[in-house]
């Protein structure tokens, strides 16, 4: 295994939004006030969308734009879990799961017995929160429901405009590849699902090089046919083009698909692109694209980067100076850096990664 991972970085540009709310506002005298999510860093305030909300948008895009049949959710008392069936449901495969349960099986003497079928799967797709690049001063605006007779019903909501950044990593080796050996946190499949997976055309067993058994022998992993894994990876990445979502879209609709994206394949788990968008100004109020930082990554991680690095930007988003810097970067790294529109770069990266999938 080559430890191949897609490393992605995105920017979104939104105006007058309240993308992810934090419950009742404590900064208003109105009875109905909703706060937006904010975090403090170096004494300044930054708005953010939780990583969980981003994943919700992503999963919905896969369902609506790529016809993914999502894994059903089962609610029991105070816990909820999906079907935990990554063979049938691609979102269980890509987004992971945990299911603690027992099932009745028949033993060799013909008697029924309960068997622990607890399974877990670390998500091959990992993502950050989406955080404003610059410090943000949120405003609390007054609204009202006034279409009925009598007094209007006032409420407030916190709104903001921001350029926001997020990053993600997709483990290309893990998609469509499952462990069935009984180790906490590693057992992805029950014995029944393992048999079902191996019965599929093109599925096979491969040795797990990372965790030998007590006898020093390699555990066996179940791997789905390459065409299935390729489709799941390609569609997961292509869904970036169609991301939509966020709270209060009725009155605060915004495009949350990327206006800037970097996509690369690396052989390491760390994410090198986290600081390519920064802020400047006395209160970190102005966005700045760190093109020098991108160039530094190309040099420092030359040995880990596989294939080309694709940089996409939407026309009108970046300043002409930043676009010129990116053009210079492309000329300095011919055959390494591809530069173009968002959707074109996503499509070209997907074409590249389809050839890299083991």
């Amino acid at each position: 295994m080559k430890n191949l991972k897609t490393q992605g970085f995105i920017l979104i540009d939104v105006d007058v939004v309240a993308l992810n709310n934090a419950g009742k506002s404590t900064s208003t005298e109105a009875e109905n006030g909703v706060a937006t999510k904010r975090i403090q860093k170096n004494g300044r305030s930054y708005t953010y969308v939780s990583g969980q909300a981003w994943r919700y948008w992503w999963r919905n895009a896969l369902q609506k734009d790529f016809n993914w049949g999502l894994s059903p959710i089962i609610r029991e008392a105070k816990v909820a879990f999906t079907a935990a069936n990554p063979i049938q449901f691609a979102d269980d495969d890509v987004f992971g799961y945990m299911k603690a349960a027992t099932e009745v099986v028949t033993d060799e003497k013909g008697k029924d017995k309960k068997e622990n079928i607890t399974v877990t799967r670390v998500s091959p797709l990992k993502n950050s929160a989406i955080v404003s690049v610059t410090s943000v001063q949120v405003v609390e605006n007054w609204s009202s429901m006034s279409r009925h007779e009598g007094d209007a019903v006032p409420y407030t909501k916190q709104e903001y405009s921001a350029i926001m950044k997020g990053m993600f990593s997709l483990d290309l080796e893990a998609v469509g590849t499952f462990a069935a050996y009984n180790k906490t946190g590693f057992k992805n499949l029950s014995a029944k699902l393992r048999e079902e997976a191996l019965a599929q055309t093109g599925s096979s067993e491969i040795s797990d090089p990372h965790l030998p058994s007590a006898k020093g022998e390699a555990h066996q992993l179940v791997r789905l046919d390459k065409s299935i894994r390729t489709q799941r990876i390609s569609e997961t990445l292509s869904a970036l083009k169609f991301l939509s979502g966020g709270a209060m879209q009725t009155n605060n609709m915004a495009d949350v698909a990327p206006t800037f994206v970097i996509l690369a394949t690396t052989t390491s788990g760390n994410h090198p692109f986290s600081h390519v968008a920064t802020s400047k100004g006395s209160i970190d109020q102005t966005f700045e694209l760190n093109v020098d930082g991108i160039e530094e990554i190309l040099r420092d991680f030359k040995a880990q980067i596989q294939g080309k690095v694709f940089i996409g930007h939407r026309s009108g988003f970046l300043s002409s100076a930043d676009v010129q810097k990116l053009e210079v970067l492309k000329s300095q790294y011919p055959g390494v850096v591809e530069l173009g529109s968002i959707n074109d770069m996503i499509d070209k990266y997907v074409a590249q990664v389809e050839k890299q999938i083991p």
Side-chain angles (χ1 to χ4, degrees):
M1 290 190 171
K2 299 178 181 178
N3 196 29
L4 292 177
K5 292 180 171 58
T6 293
Q7 309 289 10
F9 176 88
I10 69 163
L11 295 173
I12 65 173
D13 185 15
V14 291
D15 289 314
V16 197
V17 296
L19 291 175
N20 200 184
N21 292 318
K24 184 176 175 55
S25 172
T26 57
S27 60
T28 177
E29 294 182 356
E31 292 184 2
N32 301 319
V34 180
T36 196
K37 286 190 173 178
R38 282 184 285 176
I39 196 86
Q40 299 285 322
K41 185 176 182 180
N42 294 330
R44 299 190 176 102
S45 179
Y46 299 81
T47 55
Y48 74 97
V49 173
S50 71
Q52 183 183 26
W54 187 9
R55 294 170 77 83
Y56 183 81
W57 301 351
W58 210 325
R59 204 185 291 249
N60 276 355
L62 288 163
Q63 180 189 33
K64 294 174 181 176
D65 297 295
F66 294 92
N67 296 318
W68 279 27
L70 300 186
S71 181
I73 298 172
I74 300 103
R75 174 72 186 267
E76 289 185 356
K78 296 183 179 180
V79 299
F81 45 83
T82 68
N85 184 341
I87 313 304
Q88 180 178 355
F89 300 105
D91 64 320
D92 271 347
D93 180 5
V94 173
F95 290 84
Y97 50 79
M98 178 176 179
K99 179 181 179 182
T102 58
E103 69 178 10
V104 177
V105 299
T106 304
D107 64 17
E108 61 278 2
K109 296 180 180 179
K111 294 182 178 180
D112 290 344
K113 66 175 184 178
K114 285 188 175 181
E115 183 176 274
N116 187 340
I117 56 167
T118 296
V119 287
T120 59
R121 176 166 173 79
V122 176
S123 171
L125 176 65
K126 301 172 180 64
N127 60 275
S128 68
I130 302 177
V131 188
S132 61
V133 178
T134 64
S135 62
V136 173
Q137 190 167 1
V138 169
V139 295
E140 189 143 16
N141 285 324
W142 186 88
S143 301
S144 70
M145 170 61 174
S146 55
R147 288 183 286 110
H148 55 284
E149 290 187 3
D151 296 335
V153 179
Y155 64 96
T156 66
K157 56 184 175 181
Q158 295 182 341
E159 301 167 324
Y160 57 91
S161 296
I163 294 172
M164 308 178 78
K165 65 179 179 180
M167 57 183 181
F168 67 89
S169 178
L170 180 61
D171 190 331
L172 303 177
E173 309 272 357
V175 174
T177 306
F178 314 107
Y181 48 82
N182 192 17
K183 178 176 170 58
T184 303
F186 285 81
K187 187 174 181 178
N188 305 147
L189 302 176
S190 65
K192 180 181 177 183
L193 272 181
R194 176 180 174 277
E195 295 304 317
E196 287 182 13
L198 288 174
Q200 287 203 8
T201 303
S203 296
S204 60
E205 284 190 311
I206 62 170
S207 296
D208 183 348
H210 303 299
L211 188 66
S213 69
K215 297 179 180 180
E217 299 171 344
H219 283 295
Q220 295 298 300
L221 301 172
V222 177
R223 173 162 277 181
L224 298 182
D225 183 72
K226 186 175 180 179
S227 64
I228 298 174
R229 292 184 285 118
T230 300
Q231 182 177 4
R232 290 179 177 182
I233 290 169
S234 299
E235 292 181 348
T236 298
L237 296 170
S238 296
L240 284 170
K241 296 184 288 187
F242 309 113
L243 289 181
S244 66
M248 298 191 175
Q249 287 278 351
T250 304
N251 294 319
N252 296 75
M253 181 179 171
D255 180 7
V256 297
T259 50
F260 178 85
V261 66
I262 299 176
L263 292 166
T265 303
T266 70
T267 56
S268 56
N270 66 312
H271 198 295
F273 297 106
S274 61
H275 287 81
V276 301
T278 59
S279 59
K280 61 181 179 181
S282 59
I283 55 171
D284 292 338
Q285 76 276 22
T286 304
F287 164 80
E288 183 174 51
L289 184 66
N290 182 12
V291 179
D292 290 340
I294 300 174
E295 199 273 338
E296 180 181 280
I297 292 164
L298 296 178
R299 281 188 280 109
D300 286 355
F301 291 91
K302 180 180 178 181
Q304 283 75 40
I305 294 173
Q306 304 291 299
K308 293 182 179 180
V309 176
F310 295 83
I311 303 175
H313 64 95
R314 186 163 294 173
S315 178
F317 169 63
L318 294 175
S319 69
S320 57
D322 284 338
V323 173
Q324 188 174 14
K325 288 180 181 177
L326 289 173
E327 293 286 358
V328 171
L329 182 69
K330 179 183 176 183
S331 68
Q332 291 173 331
Y333 289 85
V336 177
V337 174
E338 282 273 342
L339 187 63
S341 69
I342 294 285
N343 289 6
D344 190 35
M345 290 301 97
I346 292 174
D347 289 341
K348 287 185 175 178
Y349 176 74
V350 168
Q352 172 180 285
V353 85
E354 287 179 348
K355 298 175 183 175
Q356 296 173 324
I357 294 170

